[in-house]
Structures are given as C-alpha cells and as structure tokens.
Amino acid sequence: MSEQKDQPIRAAVWKENYNSISAEDKDVQAKAVELLGPLVKDRKYHLSTYKQCFDVREALTTLQTSSTCSSVDSAIELLQQLVHAGKIYHVVSDHDVIKNQQLYFRLARADTPSVFSIANERKSFLDWVTAKTSSFGFSKQTLFVVGVDPATQTLNTFKNDIAGEPIQSIAVDNTMDIMYASDFGVDVTKGKDSLSLVFPNSVSREKFVESLVSFGGVVLEEQDDLIKSAASAFEFEAKTNSQEVLKLETFKPKVCVFVNTASG
C-alpha cells in the first residue's frame, strides 16, 4: 500500500502531457468527442446497467467511417489520447488502455470534479490517502485519492488516480471542522459527513489542511488545549442522542445550566 501511495498521480502526468500537444491535435480530439456523443446511452453488462456510456467497439467504427481515422490502430491511438486528456474514462475506472473489445467508457462532464480537472489546477491539492470508512458497523482502511477542487470548493474522494468522477463530494465552508488526528492523520467532519484520512507524509497533510482552510474549513484545537484556553463553556461542543454535533455557542447569550447525569 505504501508503494502505491508513493507513485505519482497518473492523471497529473497525463494532463501535463496533454497541455503540451499542438492546437491541431487538440482540435482532432475535440472532433472525436463530438462524434462519440450520439453513441452514448444506458448499456447492460451481465446483471449491471451502466448509465450514459459508449462501447469502444462502436467508437472505433465511428471514427473510421467519419474519416477521422484511417485504421483501427489509429482510432485506438486517438481514443487513448482522449483517456490521457481526461476526456473519457472507464465506467468503473478499471481500464486505462483502449482495446478493440467490449469496454464501456463515459464522456467526462465539465460540471463534475475529476482527478483530471483537479490535477489541471496548480493551486489544488491531490494525493493518495488511506481513508478509514465504516460500512455495516465494520471499519476498514481503503486507499483513495483525495483532492480539493477550487472551482466547486469541494473536498472529493476518488476510487483511484484516473477516476472521472468522485465517490464522495463534500462542500468546504466554515461549517467544516478539521482535527489533527496523528502525525500524518486528519479527521474531517461536516454534519453527517466525516472522513478519517492518513497521508503519506506530513507535507501532504499540511497542504491538504491549507487547501481546506483557504475555502473556510476550521481547524479545531486539540481537546486538551481547548480545555486549557477556553474562555467559556460556549467554546465546547457535544453530541446529541442522535450523534449529531451540537455547538454550545448556539445557546448564546442565554443562561445555561449544565447537568451531569448517569445514562442507563
């Protein structure tokens, strides 16, 4: 797992290469994307339905019959360029190599953050992280890519480093709490959304926190430090019976009585 985290984000490398190609090549890619549009529809594979995608085999045929490409090989090469440009992506982000077989790909959406769109923004943060998630009462550690998208001001987690859409997006604002959990760890909470992230090093962690803070995220003090420096009880927070976080400052300027009761 640590070896994978140390690898560069492929999308960032590919995007850099895409930005260096000629305007003519970009025009050819744009034309190819237009030709793929009519091929997009819901498709079934075994027992699953994949929304709004195209079949690579149909795409290869279309690129040849439109005279955009002179052969299957050149059509494959053009689709591969679209993958590397972040213009198309596999429906479950499992394939990054175009082959003349039944493979379903989607056109990238301009209004949805992707690893590619975030990698294209120099001020954004993008890195491998280990995310602690909970499902059916069981906790597990899963390797993800996390990125903060400046365009939408959202924190996004992706399945891998070439994913065309996020698994989860959380809006970043002043209701997002950030807590340092360890040398490399950060806990992020906003309402019912929470992420426990472990970064490969402290530099990555600090870049991540800085990117969240730049859009309004609030770094919380360690509880021990808060107890020492708090000027009043209104600086604390508590959990309700439904496990939602309640900030005591909500009750300002009312007079409050705090009672410690035993729960049965």
Side-chain angles (χ1 to χ4, degrees):
M1 182 175 293
S2 60
E3 292 180 357
Q4 189 174 7
K5 283 198 298 183
D6 289 338
Q7 292 178 358
I9 305 295
R10 285 176 291 176
V13 177
W14 292 351
K15 198 70 178 182
E16 185 176 349
N17 293 337
Y18 170 76
N19 290 336
S20 67
I21 69 174
S22 67
E24 182 180 356
D25 287 338
K26 290 181 179 178
D27 288 341
V28 172
Q29 292 185 13
K31 180 182 178 181
V33 170
E34 290 182 7
L35 292 170
L36 297 176
L39 304 180
V40 173
K41 63 181 182 181
D42 293 352
R43 297 173 183 271
K44 290 186 177 181
Y45 183 73
H46 292 166
L47 299 177
S48 299
T49 299
Y50 297 97
K51 299 288 186 179
Q52 298 300 289
C53 58
F54 64 88
D55 189 323
V56 166
R57 296 169 301 179
E58 295 177 13
L60 295 175
T61 299
T62 297
L63 291 176
Q64 291 176 85
T65 56
S66 66
S67 300
T68 302
C69 297
S70 59
S71 65
V72 174
D73 288 342
S74 61
I76 289 176
E77 182 179 355
L78 179 53
L79 287 183
Q80 190 67 62
Q81 291 173 8
L82 294 181
V83 172
H84 287 186
K87 305 296 184 182
I88 63 175
Y89 62 95
H90 187 253
V91 289
V92 291
S93 301
D94 280 346
H95 294 276
D96 62 347
V97 177
I98 296 293
K99 298 179 181 179
N100 188 8
Q101 55 186 240
Q102 186 179 9
L103 292 172
Y104 293 161
F105 276 71
R106 289 195 178 104
L107 297 176
R109 292 171 51 188
D111 60 340
T112 301
S114 71
V115 174
F116 291 90
S117 66
I118 297 178
N120 196 38
E121 171 59 59
R122 290 182 179 274
K123 295 180 181 178
S124 66
F125 176 85
L126 204 65
D127 202 359
W128 288 102
V129 297
T130 303
K132 183 179 180 182
T133 57
S134 181
S135 178
F136 301 106
F138 296 96
S139 294
K140 61 180 180 179
Q141 299 283 351
T142 308
L143 193 65
F144 285 118
V145 168
V146 64
V148 181
D149 181 23
T152 59
Q153 295 189 13
T154 52
L155 163 61
N156 304 278
T157 51
F158 299 94
K159 176 182 178 180
N160 57 29
D161 61 334
I162 56 172
E165 55 188 345
I167 298 170
Q168 181 184 32
S169 291
I170 306 174
V172 182
D173 55 30
N174 59 8
T175 64
M176 173 176 280
D177 292 335
I178 308 159
M179 176 71 80
Y180 287 106
S182 64
D183 289 344
F184 302 153
V186 173
D187 292 334
V188 178
T189 305
K190 181 181 179 180
K192 295 183 179 179
D193 291 317
S194 63
L195 282 173
S196 182
L197 307 172
V198 179
F199 292 85
N201 53 60
S202 59
V203 174
S204 294
R205 184 194 63 172
E206 290 308 313
K207 285 183 179 179
F208 172 74
V209 172
E210 288 174 7
S211 62
L212 292 183
V213 171
S214 68
F215 296 116
V218 179
V219 178
L220 300 181
E221 296 180 77
E222 292 288 351
Q223 195 65 22
D224 290 343
D225 294 336
L226 179 59
I227 292 172
K228 294 175 182 177
S229 62
S232 76
F234 292 116
E235 295 185 29
F236 294 89
E237 59 186 33
K239 286 188 177 181
T240 65
N241 290 337
S242 59
Q243 297 304 302
E244 294 183 359
V245 175
L246 176 65
K247 294 182 181 295
L248 297 185
E249 66 180 1
T250 305
F251 300 105
K252 274 186 173 181
K254 297 178 182 179
V255 176
C256 299
V257 177
F258 299 96
V259 181
N260 182 21
T261 61
S263 58

